[in-house]
Amino acid sequence: MSQRELINKGVANGRWGEAVAVEFLRRHGFEILETNSRPFKKDQRLEIDIVARDKKEETIVFVEVKQHSNLSPYQRRLRRVDSKKKKNLRCACNAWRRCNNLCSSPYRFDVVEIYGEPGYRPIIDHISNVRLFVPGERFVRWG
């Protein structure tokens, strides 16, 4: 398989994973507010996969979706959410909150890991309230 075909397959699997995550969250009582949200249109790194509202807790939930082709007992959860990704997500989430005038609303960060590929039944791991934000943090310090 060529490099281009591998990239296209990865993008297709990622879109499939996000669609699976959206459906999973809806079935569990979340209202989907946005998908693939970019508060800063020019900065492609700052993307939020899913912005949802947890109806039970009345909380804004920022969701990062990670799609993996298979589940291995030797791999740890959240292995692809590194410190650089967390920093970008903090910036994007805080910017989204400011742009939508929701700075004082309660919020949290979740990760949904999807194991599988299109055409097969996925295994879904919803990791709620991931420690991404510093307690009491309101805005990211710029500079």
Side-chain angles (χ1 to χ4, degrees), residues 77-108:
R77 297 168 92 194
L78 303 174
R79 70 181 186 271
R80 288 182 28 207
V81 183
D82 60 10
S83 60
K84 185 176 181 180
K85 182 69 173 174
K86 286 180 182 180
K87 180 182 175 186
N88 287 339
L89 288 168
R90 273 196 305 271
C91 288
C93 294
N94 283 325
W96 188 92
R97 291 172 53 231
R98 282 193 306 271
C99 291
N100 290 283
N101 295 320
L102 294 170
C103 291
S104 61
S105 298
Y107 62 94
R108 73 171 195 255

mmCIF file of all heavy atoms in Angstrom, residues 77-108:
data_model
loop_
_atom_site.group_PDB
_atom_site.id
_atom_site.type_symbol
_atom_site.label_atom_id
_atom_site.label_comp_id
_atom_site.label_asym_id
_atom_site.label_seq_id
_atom_site.Cartn_x
_atom_site.Cartn_y
_atom_site.Cartn_z
ATOM 1 N N ARG A 77 -4.338 2.964 28.062
ATOM 2 C CA ARG A 77 -5.364 3.916 27.666
ATOM 3 C C ARG A 77 -4.736 5.296 27.502
ATOM 4 O O ARG A 77 -3.747 5.610 28.137
ATOM 5 C CB ARG A 77 -6.441 3.991 28.745
ATOM 6 C CG ARG A 77 -7.163 2.691 28.944
ATOM 7 C CD ARG A 77 -7.998 2.748 30.188
ATOM 8 N NE ARG A 77 -9.346 3.195 29.872
ATOM 9 C CZ ARG A 77 -10.208 3.602 30.793
ATOM 10 N NH1 ARG A 77 -9.873 3.656 32.052
ATOM 11 N NH2 ARG A 77 -11.405 3.959 30.437
ATOM 12 N N LEU A 78 -5.319 6.090 26.655
ATOM 13 C CA LEU A 78 -4.888 7.475 26.410
ATOM 14 C C LEU A 78 -3.465 7.582 25.884
ATOM 15 O O LEU A 78 -2.813 8.594 26.034
ATOM 16 C CB LEU A 78 -5.010 8.324 27.693
ATOM 17 C CG LEU A 78 -6.379 8.396 28.328
ATOM 18 C CD1 LEU A 78 -6.304 9.129 29.651
ATOM 19 C CD2 LEU A 78 -7.366 9.078 27.399
ATOM 20 N N ARG A 79 -2.955 6.534 25.244
ATOM 21 C CA ARG A 79 -1.556 6.535 24.820
ATOM 22 C C ARG A 79 -1.256 7.580 23.746
ATOM 23 O O ARG A 79 -0.116 7.982 23.590
ATOM 24 C CB ARG A 79 -1.139 5.154 24.343
ATOM 25 C CG ARG A 79 -1.755 4.717 23.029
ATOM 26 C CD ARG A 79 -1.292 3.307 22.658
ATOM 27 N NE ARG A 79 -1.747 2.908 21.366
ATOM 28 C CZ ARG A 79 -2.892 2.293 21.122
ATOM 29 N NH1 ARG A 79 -3.704 2.023 22.127
ATOM 30 N NH2 ARG A 79 -3.226 1.958 19.904
ATOM 31 N N ARG A 80 -2.271 8.013 23.015
ATOM 32 C CA ARG A 80 -2.029 8.982 21.943
ATOM 33 C C ARG A 80 -2.445 10.400 22.317
ATOM 34 O O ARG A 80 -2.505 11.264 21.465
ATOM 35 C CB ARG A 80 -2.736 8.528 20.676
ATOM 36 C CG ARG A 80 -2.014 7.328 20.080
ATOM 37 C CD ARG A 80 -2.551 6.783 18.795
ATOM 38 N NE ARG A 80 -3.236 7.698 17.938
ATOM 39 C CZ ARG A 80 -4.184 7.339 17.081
ATOM 40 N NH1 ARG A 80 -4.539 6.084 17.001
ATOM 41 N NH2 ARG A 80 -4.768 8.219 16.313
ATOM 42 N N VAL A 81 -2.707 10.650 23.591
ATOM 43 C CA VAL A 81 -2.997 12.009 24.046
ATOM 44 C C VAL A 81 -1.774 12.461 24.841
ATOM 45 O O VAL A 81 -1.717 12.347 26.052
ATOM 46 C CB VAL A 81 -4.286 12.072 24.897
ATOM 47 C CG1 VAL A 81 -4.596 13.504 25.297
ATOM 48 C CG2 VAL A 81 -5.461 11.478 24.129
ATOM 49 N N ASP A 82 -0.780 12.975 24.121
ATOM 50 C CA ASP A 82 0.468 13.389 24.754
ATOM 51 C C ASP A 82 0.389 14.835 25.248
ATOM 52 O O ASP A 82 -0.636 15.505 25.096
ATOM 53 C CB ASP A 82 1.649 13.192 23.804
ATOM 54 C CG ASP A 82 1.514 14.002 22.514
ATOM 55 O OD1 ASP A 82 0.619 14.854 22.422
ATOM 56 O OD2 ASP A 82 2.327 13.781 21.598
ATOM 57 N N SER A 83 1.476 15.332 25.844
ATOM 58 C CA SER A 83 1.464 16.671 26.436
ATOM 59 C C SER A 83 1.245 17.764 25.390
ATOM 60 O O SER A 83 0.570 18.760 25.655
ATOM 61 C CB SER A 83 2.753 16.921 27.214
ATOM 62 O OG SER A 83 3.867 16.820 26.367
ATOM 63 N N LYS A 84 1.791 17.604 24.196
ATOM 64 C CA LYS A 84 1.590 18.598 23.135
ATOM 65 C C LYS A 84 0.119 18.647 22.709
ATOM 66 O O LYS A 84 -0.458 19.723 22.522
ATOM 67 C CB LYS A 84 2.481 18.269 21.936
ATOM 68 C CG LYS A 84 2.433 19.299 20.842
ATOM 69 C CD LYS A 84 3.404 18.964 19.739
ATOM 70 C CE LYS A 84 3.363 20.025 18.647
ATOM 71 N NZ LYS A 84 4.302 19.726 17.570
ATOM 72 N N LYS A 85 -0.501 17.473 22.575
ATOM 73 C CA LYS A 85 -1.915 17.393 22.211
ATOM 74 C C LYS A 85 -2.769 18.026 23.308
ATOM 75 O O LYS A 85 -3.719 18.762 23.025
ATOM 76 C CB LYS A 85 -2.317 15.929 21.984
ATOM 77 C CG LYS A 85 -3.741 15.722 21.559
ATOM 78 C CD LYS A 85 -3.959 16.254 20.172
ATOM 79 C CE LYS A 85 -5.354 15.901 19.682
ATOM 80 N NZ LYS A 85 -5.643 16.526 18.407
ATOM 81 N N LYS A 86 -2.425 17.761 24.577
ATOM 82 C CA LYS A 86 -3.178 18.341 25.683
ATOM 83 C C LYS A 86 -3.105 19.860 25.660
ATOM 84 O O LYS A 86 -4.102 20.545 25.881
ATOM 85 C CB LYS A 86 -2.652 17.821 27.022
ATOM 86 C CG LYS A 86 -3.040 16.398 27.320
ATOM 87 C CD LYS A 86 -2.486 15.979 28.660
ATOM 88 C CE LYS A 86 -2.816 14.541 28.955
ATOM 89 N NZ LYS A 86 -2.292 14.115 30.259
ATOM 90 N N LYS A 87 -1.920 20.397 25.388
ATOM 91 C CA LYS A 87 -1.752 21.852 25.336
ATOM 92 C C LYS A 87 -2.619 22.448 24.227
ATOM 93 O O LYS A 87 -3.318 23.448 24.438
ATOM 94 C CB LYS A 87 -0.291 22.206 25.106
ATOM 95 C CG LYS A 87 -0.033 23.686 25.039
ATOM 96 C CD LYS A 87 1.424 23.983 24.768
ATOM 97 C CE LYS A 87 1.620 25.480 24.594
ATOM 98 N NZ LYS A 87 2.978 25.810 24.194
ATOM 99 N N ASN A 88 -2.597 21.838 23.048
ATOM 100 C CA ASN A 88 -3.421 22.318 21.931
ATOM 101 C C ASN A 88 -4.905 22.239 22.264
ATOM 102 O O ASN A 88 -5.676 23.140 21.937
ATOM 103 C CB ASN A 88 -3.116 21.546 20.654
ATOM 104 C CG ASN A 88 -1.778 21.909 20.056
ATOM 105 O OD1 ASN A 88 -1.227 22.963 20.327
ATOM 106 N ND2 ASN A 88 -1.239 21.015 19.246
ATOM 107 N N LEU A 89 -5.311 21.148 22.916
ATOM 108 C CA LEU A 89 -6.716 20.988 23.278
ATOM 109 C C LEU A 89 -7.140 22.014 24.325
ATOM 110 O O LEU A 89 -8.250 22.548 24.257
ATOM 111 C CB LEU A 89 -6.984 19.566 23.776
ATOM 112 C CG LEU A 89 -6.949 18.502 22.683
ATOM 113 C CD1 LEU A 89 -6.922 17.117 23.298
ATOM 114 C CD2 LEU A 89 -8.121 18.655 21.749
ATOM 115 N N ARG A 90 -6.268 22.304 25.293
ATOM 116 C CA ARG A 90 -6.587 23.337 26.289
ATOM 117 C C ARG A 90 -6.820 24.688 25.605
ATOM 118 O O ARG A 90 -7.781 25.383 25.911
ATOM 119 C CB ARG A 90 -5.455 23.470 27.323
ATOM 120 C CG ARG A 90 -5.569 22.535 28.481
ATOM 121 C CD ARG A 90 -4.682 22.960 29.638
ATOM 122 N NE ARG A 90 -3.281 23.124 29.274
ATOM 123 C CZ ARG A 90 -2.368 22.156 29.310
ATOM 124 N NH1 ARG A 90 -2.718 20.954 29.691
ATOM 125 N NH2 ARG A 90 -1.129 22.406 28.976
ATOM 126 N N CYS A 91 -5.938 25.040 24.679
ATOM 127 C CA CYS A 91 -6.089 26.309 23.950
ATOM 128 C C CYS A 91 -7.401 26.331 23.171
ATOM 129 O O CYS A 91 -8.147 27.310 23.220
ATOM 130 C CB CYS A 91 -4.924 26.513 22.989
ATOM 131 S SG CYS A 91 -3.376 26.916 23.768
ATOM 132 N N ALA A 92 -7.682 25.267 22.450
ATOM 133 C CA ALA A 92 -8.896 25.204 21.627
ATOM 134 C C ALA A 92 -10.159 25.248 22.487
ATOM 135 O O ALA A 92 -11.114 25.968 22.165
ATOM 136 C CB ALA A 92 -8.880 23.946 20.763
ATOM 137 N N CYS A 93 -10.172 24.498 23.571
ATOM 138 C CA CYS A 93 -11.360 24.444 24.433
ATOM 139 C C CYS A 93 -11.610 25.787 25.111
ATOM 140 O O CYS A 93 -12.754 26.253 25.167
ATOM 141 C CB CYS A 93 -11.209 23.344 25.469
ATOM 142 S SG CYS A 93 -11.185 21.683 24.755
ATOM 143 N N ASN A 94 -10.560 26.417 25.609
ATOM 144 C CA ASN A 94 -10.736 27.723 26.244
ATOM 145 C C ASN A 94 -11.178 28.772 25.230
ATOM 146 O O ASN A 94 -12.019 29.617 25.527
ATOM 147 C CB ASN A 94 -9.452 28.148 26.961
ATOM 148 C CG ASN A 94 -9.290 27.414 28.272
ATOM 149 O OD1 ASN A 94 -10.262 27.132 28.959
ATOM 150 N ND2 ASN A 94 -8.061 27.107 28.620
ATOM 151 N N ALA A 95 -10.640 28.702 24.022
ATOM 152 C CA ALA A 95 -11.060 29.638 22.973
ATOM 153 C C ALA A 95 -12.522 29.402 22.609
ATOM 154 O O ALA A 95 -13.286 30.362 22.423
ATOM 155 C CB ALA A 95 -10.176 29.476 21.737
ATOM 156 N N TRP A 96 -12.942 28.158 22.529
ATOM 157 C CA TRP A 96 -14.332 27.846 22.206
ATOM 158 C C TRP A 96 -15.257 28.406 23.281
ATOM 159 O O TRP A 96 -16.290 29.000 22.973
ATOM 160 C CB TRP A 96 -14.531 26.334 22.071
ATOM 161 C CG TRP A 96 -15.885 25.965 21.561
ATOM 162 C CD1 TRP A 96 -16.245 25.767 20.266
ATOM 163 C CD2 TRP A 96 -17.073 25.777 22.341
ATOM 164 N NE1 TRP A 96 -17.591 25.462 20.189
ATOM 165 C CE2 TRP A 96 -18.117 25.471 21.452
ATOM 166 C CE3 TRP A 96 -17.363 25.846 23.699
ATOM 167 C CZ2 TRP A 96 -19.414 25.222 21.871
ATOM 168 C CZ3 TRP A 96 -18.659 25.607 24.127
ATOM 169 C CH2 TRP A 96 -19.674 25.304 23.216
ATOM 170 N N ARG A 97 -14.873 28.243 24.540
ATOM 171 C CA ARG A 97 -15.679 28.753 25.647
ATOM 172 C C ARG A 97 -15.803 30.271 25.575
ATOM 173 O O ARG A 97 -16.883 30.819 25.792
ATOM 174 C CB ARG A 97 -15.076 28.319 26.979
ATOM 175 C CG ARG A 97 -15.215 26.819 27.208
ATOM 176 C CD ARG A 97 -14.465 26.300 28.430
ATOM 177 N NE ARG A 97 -14.822 27.036 29.615
ATOM 178 C CZ ARG A 97 -13.923 27.585 30.441
ATOM 179 N NH1 ARG A 97 -12.637 27.481 30.203
ATOM 180 N NH2 ARG A 97 -14.315 28.225 31.509
ATOM 181 N N ARG A 98 -14.689 30.961 25.272
ATOM 182 C CA ARG A 98 -14.729 32.424 25.165
ATOM 183 C C ARG A 98 -15.600 32.865 23.989
ATOM 184 O O ARG A 98 -16.412 33.777 24.118
ATOM 185 C CB ARG A 98 -13.318 32.986 25.007
ATOM 186 C CG ARG A 98 -12.548 33.046 26.306
ATOM 187 C CD ARG A 98 -11.298 33.873 26.176
ATOM 188 N NE ARG A 98 -10.425 33.464 25.090
ATOM 189 C CZ ARG A 98 -9.471 32.561 25.175
ATOM 190 N NH1 ARG A 98 -9.250 31.930 26.307
ATOM 191 N NH2 ARG A 98 -8.726 32.261 24.134
ATOM 192 N N CYS A 99 -15.436 32.223 22.834
ATOM 193 C CA CYS A 99 -16.198 32.593 21.632
ATOM 194 C C CYS A 99 -17.701 32.378 21.814
ATOM 195 O O CYS A 99 -18.508 33.058 21.191
ATOM 196 C CB CYS A 99 -15.725 31.789 20.427
ATOM 197 S SG CYS A 99 -14.077 32.227 19.868
ATOM 198 N N ASN A 100 -18.073 31.427 22.662
ATOM 199 C CA ASN A 100 -19.481 31.106 22.871
ATOM 200 C C ASN A 100 -20.033 31.669 24.184
ATOM 201 O O ASN A 100 -21.120 31.278 24.617
ATOM 202 C CB ASN A 100 -19.688 29.592 22.807
ATOM 203 C CG ASN A 100 -19.512 29.073 21.401
ATOM 204 O OD1 ASN A 100 -20.396 29.213 20.566
ATOM 205 N ND2 ASN A 100 -18.350 28.520 21.102
ATOM 206 N N ASN A 101 -19.274 32.567 24.822
ATOM 207 C CA ASN A 101 -19.687 33.199 26.078
ATOM 208 C C ASN A 101 -20.091 32.187 27.144
ATOM 209 O O ASN A 101 -21.109 32.342 27.818
ATOM 210 C CB ASN A 101 -20.826 34.199 25.832
ATOM 211 C CG ASN A 101 -20.380 35.359 24.976
ATOM 212 O OD1 ASN A 101 -19.271 35.857 25.139
ATOM 213 N ND2 ASN A 101 -21.226 35.763 24.054
ATOM 214 N N LEU A 102 -19.304 31.136 27.280
ATOM 215 C CA LEU A 102 -19.583 30.090 28.268
ATOM 216 C C LEU A 102 -18.414 29.918 29.239
ATOM 217 O O LEU A 102 -18.161 28.825 29.727
ATOM 218 C CB LEU A 102 -19.877 28.766 27.556
ATOM 219 C CG LEU A 102 -21.160 28.756 26.720
ATOM 220 C CD1 LEU A 102 -21.240 27.501 25.879
ATOM 221 C CD2 LEU A 102 -22.385 28.872 27.619
ATOM 222 N N CYS A 103 -17.725 31.011 29.530
ATOM 223 C CA CYS A 103 -16.543 30.932 30.395
ATOM 224 C C CYS A 103 -16.879 30.515 31.819
ATOM 225 O O CYS A 103 -16.063 29.898 32.496
ATOM 226 C CB CYS A 103 -15.796 32.261 30.400
ATOM 227 S SG CYS A 103 -15.022 32.585 28.808
ATOM 228 N N SER A 104 -18.068 30.828 32.285
ATOM 229 C CA SER A 104 -18.414 30.474 33.664
ATOM 230 C C SER A 104 -19.188 29.157 33.753
ATOM 231 O O SER A 104 -19.518 28.705 34.838
ATOM 232 C CB SER A 104 -19.211 31.603 34.306
ATOM 233 O OG SER A 104 -20.409 31.802 33.588
ATOM 234 N N SER A 105 -19.476 28.532 32.617
ATOM 235 C CA SER A 105 -20.209 27.259 32.617
ATOM 236 C C SER A 105 -19.293 26.110 33.012
ATOM 237 O O SER A 105 -18.113 26.107 32.681
ATOM 238 C CB SER A 105 -20.773 26.976 31.226
ATOM 239 O OG SER A 105 -21.675 27.965 30.854
ATOM 240 N N PRO A 106 -19.840 25.118 33.714
ATOM 241 C CA PRO A 106 -19.016 23.948 34.049
ATOM 242 C C PRO A 106 -18.664 23.173 32.785
ATOM 243 O O PRO A 106 -19.458 23.095 31.844
ATOM 244 C CB PRO A 106 -19.910 23.125 34.977
ATOM 245 C CG PRO A 106 -21.287 23.619 34.757
ATOM 246 C CD PRO A 106 -21.189 25.014 34.230
ATOM 247 N N TYR A 107 -17.465 22.606 32.776
ATOM 248 C CA TYR A 107 -17.005 21.862 31.612
ATOM 249 C C TYR A 107 -16.063 20.752 32.056
ATOM 250 O O TYR A 107 -15.546 20.756 33.170
ATOM 251 C CB TYR A 107 -16.305 22.790 30.615
ATOM 252 C CG TYR A 107 -15.066 23.449 31.180
ATOM 253 C CD1 TYR A 107 -13.811 22.888 30.984
ATOM 254 C CD2 TYR A 107 -15.153 24.610 31.923
ATOM 255 C CE1 TYR A 107 -12.673 23.481 31.514
ATOM 256 C CE2 TYR A 107 -14.033 25.211 32.444
ATOM 257 C CZ TYR A 107 -12.805 24.637 32.240
ATOM 258 O OH TYR A 107 -11.688 25.222 32.770
ATOM 259 N N ARG A 108 -15.859 19.809 31.150
ATOM 260 C CA ARG A 108 -14.898 18.738 31.396
ATOM 261 C C ARG A 108 -14.379 18.243 30.061
ATOM 262 O O ARG A 108 -14.861 18.627 29.003
ATOM 263 C CB ARG A 108 -15.506 17.617 32.217
ATOM 264 C CG ARG A 108 -16.499 16.750 31.488
ATOM 265 C CD ARG A 108 -16.885 15.524 32.324
ATOM 266 N NE ARG A 108 -17.528 14.542 31.514
ATOM 267 C CZ ARG A 108 -18.829 14.299 31.531
ATOM 268 N NH1 ARG A 108 -19.625 14.953 32.352
ATOM 269 N NH2 ARG A 108 -19.331 13.380 30.735
#
